[in-house]
Amino acid sequence: MSRAEAVVEINFDGIVGPSHNYAGLSIGNLAAQGNAGRVAHPRAAALEGIAKMRAARALGLTQGILLPHPRPDTDWLAALSTDAAGADPLLIANAMSASAMWAANAATVSPAVDTADARCHLSVANLLTMPHRAHEWPATLAQLRIAFAHPAFAVHGPVPTPFGDEGAANHMRLAASDGSPGVEIFVYGRPGGAFPARQAEQASRAVARRHGLNPARTLFWRQSDAAIAAGAFHNDVVAVADGAVLFAHELAFADPAAAYRDLRALLPMVEIVEVPAARVPLADAIRSYLFNAQLVKPPGGVPTLILPQEAQGVESVRGFVTDLIAGNGPIRAVHHVDVRESMANGGGPACLRLRVVCDPSTVDPRFLVDDARLDRIAAVVERHWPVSIAPDTLADLALHAAIRTARSALLAELDLTELA
Ligand code: SUG
């Protein structure tokens, strides 16, 4: 079998780290702001993530992992001339963030079939808009360089400041079939609204250039100001694409008519499922995370939405999804998962995963999981992850020690101690 034939989409999920907490650090992320100060449950959170990976595997999908980062981030605190014992509470909260779990913000990925040098390109995201996320990229890059060390890949560092880049959460790829060249769509925000626009147009354009994408098959769409103002801090809160299907809210993009015209010209077979605001108000879409679904096509199966269970709790969304599945459209099945601990920080099923279209045999196998490896990860989590963390305990040195021990145990279990 040639490499092109062996190419599949792998979902790399961020394992929820032992410092998972609700410090309310993300302005414009309504769930995170609304849950600031709540007690978090890192152990339950990580087990929910593992259960989601098991559900994806049960559908026949290939599953990978990314590992939690060292927390508190003492390198970052040292660069700020302080440390975990002496830093002010806000810096400690920033240094303790487990936000690397949202792997959709780890990098932007262009499969080999789309790039000039026929390698799969990954650009680590700089995440520079939010202080708690801006120090993620070095530890992410270290993992990407190991997981994708094979010459089939090109791994890039971050786009330089001041151009904010939040990775795959603001990138969509549509293609006629597995293995055929895609249309890559970069979605950026216009600054100046009530909430930060985290993806800068120039960052998106730089990523497209460094990946060697064909300009004729690359689109740049602006997010609507209304979407950002309503809490769509990333495009993947209001749109998702897979295969030849785009599923998006009517108010996701600044100029949807022009956007869809350009997309149809490049990919005539595209199926655009646009959800009218009259049917699902933007606020309901964001509250339910209807669009933060994983849209997947299991081998031999039908296009399926993996939705957060919260989508069942919002009436307009529940009704829409029922009709969607019953209708003649391209999305034929729905599967609900419980990721409520991540959801409470604004991270749904799609946030938790980074899609890489590649031949799995070119990936470092320590970053791929089967059920047995998921069992082993779950056992470490059960043994070492804190049961709960209250935000007013984030500076507790005993908690820091427990979190370090927990991560070390996971790295040892997965034979990844070079990340220590
Ligand atoms: O960047 N939440 C993340 C959620 C990221 C969701 N990812 C995607 N949409 N792809 C964020 O806002 C909350 C952290 C806190 O407040 O402690 C947080 O970072």
Side-chain angles (χ1 to χ4, degrees), residues 2-324:
S2 74
R3 178 152 307 144
E5 287 164 354
V7 160
V8 295
E9 177 181 292
I10 309 177
N11 286 282
F12 289 83
D13 277 40
I15 295 174
V16 179
S19 70
H20 161 60
N21 70 84
Y22 299 118
L25 299 174
S26 272
I27 299 146
N29 171 340
L30 303 182
Q33 287 188 271
N35 289 307
R38 255 184 54 181
V39 173
H41 301 94
R43 187 179 300 179
L47 294 175
E48 287 165 11
I50 292 167
K52 172 167 102 67
M53 289 193 255
R54 290 192 202 279
R57 279 189 39 75
L59 290 173
L61 305 171
T62 308
Q63 186 66 52
I65 48 169
L66 291 172
L67 282 294
H69 293 187
R71 292 291 177 265
D73 188 342
T74 48
D75 289 348
W76 184 69
L77 291 172
L80 290 161
S81 300
T82 185
D83 61 26
D88 74 56
L90 186 59
L91 279 186
I92 289 285
N94 280 288
M96 282 286 273
S97 172
S99 49
M101 73 175 82
W102 297 298
N105 306 118
T108 307
V109 186
S110 297
V113 71
D114 294 351
T115 68
D117 65 0
R119 289 191 294 168
C120 174
H121 284 246
L122 298 96
S123 279
V124 74
N126 62 27
L127 292 166
L128 59 77
T129 304
M130 297 288 160
H132 68 289
R133 306 215 61 180
H135 60 100
E136 265 175 51
W137 70 261
T140 301
L141 184 58
Q143 294 190 47
L144 298 180
R145 290 212 191 281
I146 297 172
F148 305 107
H150 190 281
F153 299 96
V155 176
H156 303 269
V159 169
T161 55
F163 305 113
D165 176 20
E166 305 258 334
N170 296 313
H171 174 255
M172 303 185 288
R173 178 177 184 270
L174 292 120
S177 65
D178 290 350
S180 65
V183 176
E184 298 206 14
I185 304 171
F186 292 79
V187 185
Y188 61 90
R190 179 170 71 179
F195 294 140
R198 298 207 214 172
Q199 184 74 34
E201 178 180 1
Q202 287 308 332
S204 296
R205 291 188 182 276
V207 170
R209 283 192 294 271
R210 53 163 57 172
H211 287 192
L213 299 180
N214 178 352
R217 297 187 65 77
T218 308
L219 298 173
F220 297 90
W221 293 356
R222 186 160 72 75
Q223 251 193 308
S224 79
D225 298 336
I228 299 175
F233 54 94
H234 291 136
N235 174 62
D236 70 1
V237 174
V238 281
V240 60
D242 183 69
V245 182
L246 171 63
F247 180 47
H249 193 272
E250 182 187 3
L251 301 177
F253 310 113
D255 188 352
Y260 299 159
R261 182 199 60 220
D262 293 348
L263 176 57
R264 286 199 174 97
L266 292 173
L267 193 70
M269 49 129 32
V270 68
E271 300 199 67
I272 300 174
V273 181
E274 191 189 56
V275 182
R279 184 79 209 266
V280 177
L282 198 47
D284 283 5
I286 290 171
R287 195 151 53 96
S288 66
Y289 262 36
L290 168 63
F291 297 95
N292 201 260
Q294 285 180 251
L295 179 55
V296 295
K297 178 135 182 354
V302 293
T304 300
L305 274 183
I306 303 179
L307 280 170
Q309 61 174 16
E310 284 76 357
Q312 288 172 302
V314 177
E315 205 185 316
S316 63
V317 171
R318 198 174 51 240
F320 174 80
V321 171
T322 304
D323 292 351
L324 180 75

